Structure formats: structure tokens, C-alpha cells
């Protein structure tokens, strides 16, 4: 399913509409099948994206101020899926101001929705990118994360 999500992110995401796909789900599913993805994988990926949209809508409706200083304790299931390095990565992004507590929770929710036993750092980075991309108000955070990932990829020292 993760490969389908990456393919969709790279090829179908509309920068103006966030996570909204440029084409209908049926059209996208047919093209993904032509590319070689299985129908079950496609359906699960589209469900994952729908969950992201629903989560984002719920956040917009929830207008309670978020405490900037919060401590996140991971459940046993979350700790099984998100390694210590993954949890540290999310904490690091929070400390840099790339993630706020609400966005962190969306990332964790979408990571757990992948339904895999262990999420590696590469997958977690993609999830963070997709979540930030789907939130127009996080444009600056998205740019910071992209710069950080590119700097790592090219071993740039600042």
C-alpha cells in the first residue's frame, strides 16, 4: 500500500487542493491497475487518503488552542510500529517547529493506519510530507522539512 501512496503523492496530488486528487478515485484506480498495482493495495491507499482528509476536516472543526509545550507518551502499539529513532525524528521535527502537537498526532494516526508492524524512517518521512502537504497552513513547515531531507540526501552541512 505504501508504494501506491508514494506513487499517488508524486503523480496525482494537486498543490492547490492539498490532498485532493486531480482525478476521480475510479479513474485513478484504473490507471494504477494499468501501472501494475493490485486492486486491494489501491483501495487501501485510497482509504488511507480518505482518512487523512477526514482527519484534516476534524482538526479544522476543532478550535481548541494547542499547548506548545506538550509531552507525547506512545502507546504500546505505537511503540511497536514507530521505532525509537522514528519517535525521536518526530520529536526533533517538533523542536524545530516543523510539526506542532496536532500535526504530530495526524502523522502518528496516519502511520498507524498503514497497518504495518514496523515503519522505517523513510516511510515516516513520506508520511510527514504527505500530512504537511495536505495542510495549506503548514506551507513553511513543509519547505523546512523538504530542505532538511534534501540536505541529508546530499550531506550538506549548514
Amino acid at each position: 500500500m505504501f508504494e501506491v501512496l508514494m506513487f499517488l503523492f508524486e503523480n496525482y496530488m494537486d498543490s492547490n487542493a492539498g490532498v485532493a486528487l486531480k482525478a476521480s478515485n475510479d479513474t485513478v484506480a484504473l490507471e494504477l491497475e494499468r501501472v501494475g498495482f493490485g486492486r486491494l493495495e489501491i483501495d487501501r491507499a485510497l482509504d488511507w487518503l480518505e482518512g487523512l482528509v477526514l482527519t484534516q476536516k476534524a482538526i479544522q472543526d476543532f478550535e481548541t488552542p494547542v499547548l506548545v509545550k506538550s509531552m507525547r507518551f506512545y502507546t504500546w502499539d505505537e511503540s511497536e510500529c514507530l521505532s525509537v529513532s522514528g519517535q525521536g525524528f518526530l520529536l526533533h521535527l517538533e523542536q524545530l517547529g516543523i510539526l506542532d502537537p496536532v500535526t504530530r498526532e495526524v502523522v502518528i494516526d496516519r502511520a498507524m493506519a498503514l497497518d504495518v508492524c514496523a515503519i522505517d524512517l523513510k516511510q515516516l518521512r513520506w508520511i510527514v510530507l504527505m500530512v504537511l502537504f495536505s495542510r495549506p497552513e503548514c506551507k513553511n513547515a513543509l519547505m523546512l522539512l523538504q530542505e532538511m531531507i534534501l540536505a541529508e540526501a546530499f550531506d550538506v552541512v549548514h
Side-chain angles (χ1 to χ4, degrees), residues 5-35:
L5 287 171
M6 288 177 54
F7 184 86
L8 287 170
F9 184 74
E10 292 173 349
N11 296 289
Y12 286 94
M13 295 301 180
D14 185 347
S15 60
N16 297 322
V19 78
L21 293 172
K22 292 179 185 175
S24 74
N25 282 358
D26 293 336
T27 305
V28 172
L30 287 173
E31 186 167 334
L32 289 170
E33 284 180 336
R34 275 186 255 140
V35 172

Side-chain angles (χ1 to χ4, degrees), residues 49-116:
L49 287 172
E50 185 179 327
L52 178 58
V53 169
L54 292 173
T55 303
Q56 300 295 15
K57 285 181 182 176
I59 289 170
Q60 291 171 353
D61 295 340
F62 187 70
E63 296 184 17
T64 302
V66 178
L67 297 175
V68 176
K69 303 272 184 186
S70 68
M71 176 67 87
R72 177 60 154 89
F73 293 95
Y74 290 86
T75 66
W76 188 85
D77 289 340
E78 291 168 343
S79 294
E80 286 292 306
C81 288
L82 295 171
S83 66
V84 172
S85 62
Q87 293 172 30
F89 175 67
L90 293 178
L91 178 62
H92 181 65
L93 293 179
E94 265 191 275
Q95 291 170 338
L96 291 174
I98 293 173
L99 294 180
D100 61 28
V102 173
T103 308
R104 175 200 62 216
E105 291 305 311
V106 174
V107 169
I108 293 169
D109 174 72
R110 294 294 81 207
M112 297 303 292
L114 284 178
D115 248 359
V116 294

Side-chain angles (χ1 to χ4, degrees), residues 1-7 114 122-123 126-127 130:
M1 170 178 62
F2 194 75
E3 291 79 18
V4 177
L5 287 171
M6 288 177 54
F7 184 86
L114 284 178
K122 179 183 173 189
Q123 291 172 319
W126 274 99
I127 294 167
M130 285 186 250

